[in-house]
Short mmCIF file of all heavy atoms in Angstrom, two decimals:
data_model
loop_
_atom_site.label_atom_id
_atom_site.label_comp_id
_atom_site.label_asym_id
_atom_site.label_seq_id
_atom_site.Cartn_x
_atom_site.Cartn_y
_atom_site.Cartn_z
N VAL A 12 0.83 -1.20 0.00
CA VAL A 12 0.00 0.00 0.00
C VAL A 12 0.86 1.25 0.00
O VAL A 12 0.51 2.27 -0.60
CB VAL A 12 -0.98 -0.02 1.19
CG1 VAL A 12 -0.28 0.29 2.50
CG2 VAL A 12 -2.13 0.96 0.97
N ARG A 13 2.02 1.18 0.65
CA ARG A 13 2.92 2.33 0.63
C ARG A 13 3.64 2.45 -0.72
O ARG A 13 3.81 3.56 -1.23
CB ARG A 13 3.95 2.21 1.76
CG ARG A 13 3.38 2.47 3.17
CD ARG A 13 4.41 2.01 4.21
NE ARG A 13 4.10 2.43 5.56
CZ ARG A 13 3.26 1.81 6.36
NH1 ARG A 13 2.63 0.72 5.94
NH2 ARG A 13 3.04 2.25 7.60
N TRP A 14 4.07 1.32 -1.26
CA TRP A 14 4.73 1.35 -2.57
C TRP A 14 3.78 1.89 -3.64
O TRP A 14 4.19 2.63 -4.54
CB TRP A 14 5.18 -0.05 -2.96
CG TRP A 14 6.34 -0.59 -2.18
CD1 TRP A 14 7.30 0.14 -1.52
CD2 TRP A 14 6.66 -1.97 -1.96
NE1 TRP A 14 8.20 -0.71 -0.92
CE2 TRP A 14 7.84 -2.00 -1.17
CE3 TRP A 14 6.10 -3.17 -2.36
CZ2 TRP A 14 8.45 -3.20 -0.78
CZ3 TRP A 14 6.69 -4.36 -1.98
CH2 TRP A 14 7.86 -4.36 -1.19
N ALA A 15 2.52 1.51 -3.55
CA ALA A 15 1.56 1.89 -4.59
C ALA A 15 1.04 3.32 -4.42
O ALA A 15 0.54 3.91 -5.38
CB ALA A 15 0.37 0.92 -4.59
N ALA A 16 1.16 3.88 -3.22
CA ALA A 16 0.55 5.18 -2.93
C ALA A 16 0.97 6.29 -3.89
O ALA A 16 0.11 7.07 -4.32
CB ALA A 16 0.85 5.58 -1.48
N PRO A 17 2.24 6.44 -4.27
CA PRO A 17 2.59 7.52 -5.20
C PRO A 17 2.02 7.33 -6.60
O PRO A 17 1.92 8.29 -7.37
CB PRO A 17 4.13 7.48 -5.24
CG PRO A 17 4.52 6.70 -4.04
CD PRO A 17 3.43 5.71 -3.82
N VAL A 18 1.64 6.09 -6.94
CA VAL A 18 1.13 5.78 -8.28
C VAL A 18 -0.40 5.74 -8.26
O VAL A 18 -1.06 6.48 -8.99
CB VAL A 18 1.69 4.44 -8.78
CG1 VAL A 18 1.22 4.17 -10.21
CG2 VAL A 18 3.21 4.41 -8.69
N LEU A 19 -0.94 4.87 -7.44
CA LEU A 19 -2.41 4.72 -7.33
C LEU A 19 -2.87 5.53 -6.12
O LEU A 19 -3.22 4.98 -5.07
CB LEU A 19 -2.77 3.24 -7.19
CG LEU A 19 -2.21 2.31 -8.27
CD1 LEU A 19 -2.64 0.88 -8.01
CD2 LEU A 19 -2.66 2.76 -9.66
N VAL A 20 -2.89 6.83 -6.29
CA VAL A 20 -3.09 7.74 -5.17
C VAL A 20 -4.42 7.49 -4.46
O VAL A 20 -4.47 7.35 -3.23
CB VAL A 20 -3.02 9.20 -5.66
CG1 VAL A 20 -3.35 10.16 -4.53
CG2 VAL A 20 -1.63 9.50 -6.22
N PHE A 21 -5.49 7.46 -5.21
CA PHE A 21 -6.81 7.34 -4.60
C PHE A 21 -7.09 5.91 -4.17
O PHE A 21 -7.71 5.68 -3.13
CB PHE A 21 -7.88 7.82 -5.59
CG PHE A 21 -7.73 9.26 -5.97
CD1 PHE A 21 -7.20 9.62 -7.20
CD2 PHE A 21 -8.08 10.27 -5.08
CE1 PHE A 21 -7.05 10.96 -7.54
CE2 PHE A 21 -7.93 11.60 -5.42
CZ PHE A 21 -7.41 11.94 -6.65
N THR A 22 -6.64 4.93 -4.94
CA THR A 22 -6.86 3.54 -4.58
C THR A 22 -6.13 3.19 -3.29
O THR A 22 -6.68 2.53 -2.41
CB THR A 22 -6.39 2.62 -5.72
OG1 THR A 22 -7.09 2.94 -6.92
CG2 THR A 22 -6.62 1.16 -5.37
N ALA A 23 -4.87 3.61 -3.18
CA ALA A 23 -4.10 3.34 -1.97
C ALA A 23 -4.76 3.97 -0.74
O ALA A 23 -4.80 3.37 0.34
CB ALA A 23 -2.67 3.84 -2.12
N GLU A 24 -5.28 5.17 -0.91
CA GLU A 24 -5.97 5.84 0.21
C GLU A 24 -7.23 5.08 0.60
O GLU A 24 -7.54 4.91 1.79
CB GLU A 24 -6.32 7.28 -0.19
CG GLU A 24 -6.86 8.12 0.94
CD GLU A 24 -5.76 8.65 1.86
OE1 GLU A 24 -4.64 8.10 1.88
OE2 GLU A 24 -6.05 9.60 2.59
N GLU A 25 -7.95 4.59 -0.40
CA GLU A 25 -9.16 3.81 -0.14
C GLU A 25 -8.82 2.50 0.57
O GLU A 25 -9.50 2.10 1.53
CB GLU A 25 -9.88 3.52 -1.46
CG GLU A 25 -11.12 2.67 -1.32
CD GLU A 25 -11.71 2.26 -2.65
OE1 GLU A 25 -11.08 2.54 -3.70
OE2 GLU A 25 -12.78 1.62 -2.65
N VAL A 26 -7.79 1.82 0.08
CA VAL A 26 -7.39 0.55 0.68
C VAL A 26 -6.95 0.74 2.12
O VAL A 26 -7.37 0.01 3.02
CB VAL A 26 -6.26 -0.09 -0.16
CG1 VAL A 26 -5.66 -1.28 0.57
CG2 VAL A 26 -6.78 -0.51 -1.53
N TRP A 27 -6.11 1.73 2.35
CA TRP A 27 -5.62 1.99 3.71
C TRP A 27 -6.77 2.36 4.64
O TRP A 27 -6.86 1.85 5.77
CB TRP A 27 -4.59 3.11 3.67
CG TRP A 27 -4.05 3.48 5.01
CD1 TRP A 27 -4.40 4.54 5.80
CD2 TRP A 27 -3.05 2.76 5.76
NE1 TRP A 27 -3.69 4.53 6.97
CE2 TRP A 27 -2.86 3.46 6.98
CE3 TRP A 27 -2.31 1.61 5.50
CZ2 TRP A 27 -1.95 3.03 7.94
CZ3 TRP A 27 -1.41 1.18 6.47
CH2 TRP A 27 -1.23 1.89 7.66
N GLY A 28 -7.66 3.22 4.19
CA GLY A 28 -8.78 3.65 5.02
C GLY A 28 -9.77 2.53 5.29
O GLY A 28 -10.44 2.53 6.32
N THR A 29 -9.86 1.57 4.37
CA THR A 29 -10.76 0.44 4.59
C THR A 29 -10.28 -0.42 5.75
O THR A 29 -11.08 -0.87 6.59
CB THR A 29 -10.86 -0.41 3.31
OG1 THR A 29 -11.41 0.39 2.26
CG2 THR A 29 -11.76 -1.61 3.53
N ARG A 30 -8.99 -0.64 5.80
CA ARG A 30 -8.46 -1.48 6.89
C ARG A 30 -8.25 -0.69 8.17
O ARG A 30 -8.45 -1.21 9.26
CB ARG A 30 -7.14 -2.13 6.45
CG ARG A 30 -6.66 -3.14 7.48
CD ARG A 30 -5.42 -3.89 7.09
NE ARG A 30 -5.05 -4.80 8.16
CZ ARG A 30 -3.84 -5.29 8.33
NH1 ARG A 30 -2.87 -4.98 7.48
NH2 ARG A 30 -3.58 -6.10 9.34
N PHE A 31 -7.83 0.57 8.03
CA PHE A 31 -7.56 1.40 9.21
C PHE A 31 -8.36 2.70 9.09
O PHE A 31 -7.83 3.73 8.69
CB PHE A 31 -6.07 1.70 9.32
CG PHE A 31 -5.20 0.49 9.42
CD1 PHE A 31 -4.38 0.11 8.37
CD2 PHE A 31 -5.20 -0.29 10.57
CE1 PHE A 31 -3.58 -1.01 8.46
CE2 PHE A 31 -4.40 -1.42 10.67
CZ PHE A 31 -3.59 -1.78 9.60
N PRO A 32 -9.65 2.65 9.42
CA PRO A 32 -10.51 3.84 9.26
C PRO A 32 -10.00 5.05 10.04
O PRO A 32 -10.25 6.19 9.63
CB PRO A 32 -11.87 3.36 9.79
CG PRO A 32 -11.82 1.88 9.69
CD PRO A 32 -10.40 1.49 9.93
N ASP A 33 -9.33 4.81 11.15
CA ASP A 33 -8.83 5.91 11.98
C ASP A 33 -7.31 6.05 11.84
O ASP A 33 -6.66 6.64 12.71
CB ASP A 33 -9.20 5.68 13.45
CG ASP A 33 -10.71 5.57 13.65
OD1 ASP A 33 -11.45 6.33 13.00
OD2 ASP A 33 -11.12 4.71 14.45
N GLY A 34 -6.77 5.54 10.76
CA GLY A 34 -5.32 5.52 10.61
C GLY A 34 -4.73 6.69 9.86
O GLY A 34 -3.56 6.64 9.47
N GLY A 35 -5.51 7.73 9.62
CA GLY A 35 -5.00 8.89 8.90
C GLY A 35 -4.84 8.58 7.42
O GLY A 35 -5.44 7.65 6.88
N SER A 36 -4.00 9.36 6.76
CA SER A 36 -3.79 9.20 5.32
C SER A 36 -2.57 8.34 5.05
O SER A 36 -1.54 8.47 5.71
CB SER A 36 -3.61 10.57 4.66
OG SER A 36 -3.23 10.41 3.29
N VAL A 37 -2.68 7.47 4.06
CA VAL A 37 -1.54 6.65 3.65
C VAL A 37 -0.40 7.51 3.14
O VAL A 37 0.78 7.13 3.21
CB VAL A 37 -1.98 5.63 2.57
CG1 VAL A 37 -2.32 6.33 1.27
CG2 VAL A 37 -0.89 4.58 2.34
N HIS A 38 -0.73 8.70 2.65
CA HIS A 38 0.29 9.57 2.07
C HIS A 38 1.12 10.30 3.11
O HIS A 38 2.05 11.03 2.76
CB HIS A 38 -0.37 10.56 1.10
CG HIS A 38 -1.13 9.88 0.01
ND1 HIS A 38 -0.52 9.14 -0.97
CD2 HIS A 38 -2.46 9.81 -0.25
CE1 HIS A 38 -1.43 8.64 -1.78
NE2 HIS A 38 -2.62 9.04 -1.36
N LEU A 39 0.78 10.11 4.37
CA LEU A 39 1.59 10.67 5.45
C LEU A 39 2.49 9.61 6.08
O LEU A 39 3.20 9.90 7.04
CB LEU A 39 0.69 11.29 6.52
CG LEU A 39 -0.19 12.46 6.06
CD1 LEU A 39 -1.05 12.96 7.21
CD2 LEU A 39 0.66 13.58 5.49
N LEU A 40 2.47 8.40 5.53
CA LEU A 40 3.29 7.32 6.06
C LEU A 40 4.68 7.33 5.42
O LEU A 40 4.87 7.85 4.33
CB LEU A 40 2.63 5.96 5.78
CG LEU A 40 1.22 5.77 6.34
CD1 LEU A 40 0.66 4.42 5.91
CD2 LEU A 40 1.23 5.88 7.86
N GLU A 41 5.62 6.74 6.12
CA GLU A 41 6.98 6.62 5.61
C GLU A 41 7.10 5.38 4.73
O GLU A 41 6.21 4.54 4.66
CB GLU A 41 7.98 6.52 6.78
CG GLU A 41 7.99 7.75 7.68
CD GLU A 41 8.55 8.97 6.98
OE1 GLU A 41 9.34 8.80 6.04
OE2 GLU A 41 8.19 10.10 7.39
N TRP A 42 8.23 5.27 4.06
CA TRP A 42 8.53 4.06 3.27
C TRP A 42 8.46 2.84 4.19
O TRP A 42 8.87 2.91 5.34
CB TRP A 42 9.93 4.20 2.67
CG TRP A 42 10.30 3.12 1.70
CD1 TRP A 42 10.86 1.92 2.01
CD2 TRP A 42 10.17 3.14 0.28
NE1 TRP A 42 11.08 1.18 0.87
CE2 TRP A 42 10.67 1.90 -0.20
CE3 TRP A 42 9.67 4.08 -0.62
CZ2 TRP A 42 10.69 1.58 -1.56
CZ3 TRP A 42 9.70 3.76 -1.97
CH2 TRP A 42 10.19 2.54 -2.43
N PRO A 43 7.94 1.72 3.72
CA PRO A 43 7.74 0.57 4.61
C PRO A 43 9.05 -0.01 5.15
O PRO A 43 10.08 0.02 4.48
CB PRO A 43 7.04 -0.45 3.70
CG PRO A 43 7.45 -0.08 2.32
CD PRO A 43 7.53 1.42 2.34
N GLU A 44 8.95 -0.53 6.36
CA GLU A 44 10.07 -1.24 6.96
C GLU A 44 9.89 -2.74 6.64
O GLU A 44 9.05 -3.40 7.21
CB GLU A 44 10.10 -1.02 8.47
CG GLU A 44 10.42 0.41 8.88
CD GLU A 44 11.85 0.80 8.53
OE1 GLU A 44 12.70 -0.10 8.44
OE2 GLU A 44 12.10 2.01 8.32
N VAL A 45 10.69 -3.23 5.72
CA VAL A 45 10.59 -4.62 5.28
C VAL A 45 11.69 -5.43 5.95
O VAL A 45 12.87 -5.05 5.87
CB VAL A 45 10.70 -4.72 3.75
CG1 VAL A 45 10.68 -6.17 3.30
CG2 VAL A 45 9.57 -3.94 3.08
N PRO A 46 11.35 -6.54 6.60
CA PRO A 46 12.39 -7.34 7.26
C PRO A 46 13.37 -7.90 6.24
O PRO A 46 12.98 -8.37 5.17
CB PRO A 46 11.60 -8.46 7.95
CG PRO A 46 10.29 -8.53 7.23
CD PRO A 46 10.00 -7.12 6.79
N LEU A 47 14.65 -7.84 6.58
CA LEU A 47 15.70 -8.36 5.70
C LEU A 47 15.85 -9.85 5.96
O LEU A 47 16.52 -10.26 6.92
CB LEU A 47 17.01 -7.62 5.94
CG LEU A 47 17.01 -6.12 5.64
CD1 LEU A 47 18.35 -5.50 6.01
CD2 LEU A 47 16.71 -5.88 4.16
N VAL A 48 15.22 -10.65 5.13
CA VAL A 48 15.24 -12.10 5.30
C VAL A 48 16.15 -12.69 4.22
O VAL A 48 15.82 -12.65 3.03
CB VAL A 48 13.83 -12.70 5.20
CG1 VAL A 48 13.89 -14.21 5.35
CG2 VAL A 48 12.92 -12.10 6.26
N ALA A 49 17.28 -13.21 4.64
CA ALA A 49 18.21 -13.83 3.70
C ALA A 49 17.71 -15.22 3.32
O ALA A 49 16.90 -15.83 4.04
CB ALA A 49 19.61 -13.91 4.31
#
């Protein structure tokens, strides 16, 4: 959802708000923290 946010602006906001209605805007989030799994 964070990777897609700069491209699918409205869709990413809709997806984020659907799961986290009180989670603010996806566009205020930082780049995701992905675990480094070797």
Side-chain angles (χ1 to χ4, degrees):
V12 75
R13 287 167 169 83
W14 288 336
V18 183
L19 306 180
V20 175
F21 298 104
T22 302
E24 188 79 340
E25 178 188 6
V26 170
W27 179 259
T29 298
R30 188 176 178 201
F31 301 109
D33 301 321
S36 172
V37 69
H38 302 293
L39 298 179
L40 302 176
E41 298 292 334
W42 187 273
E44 293 293 333
V45 176
L47 297 176
V48 179

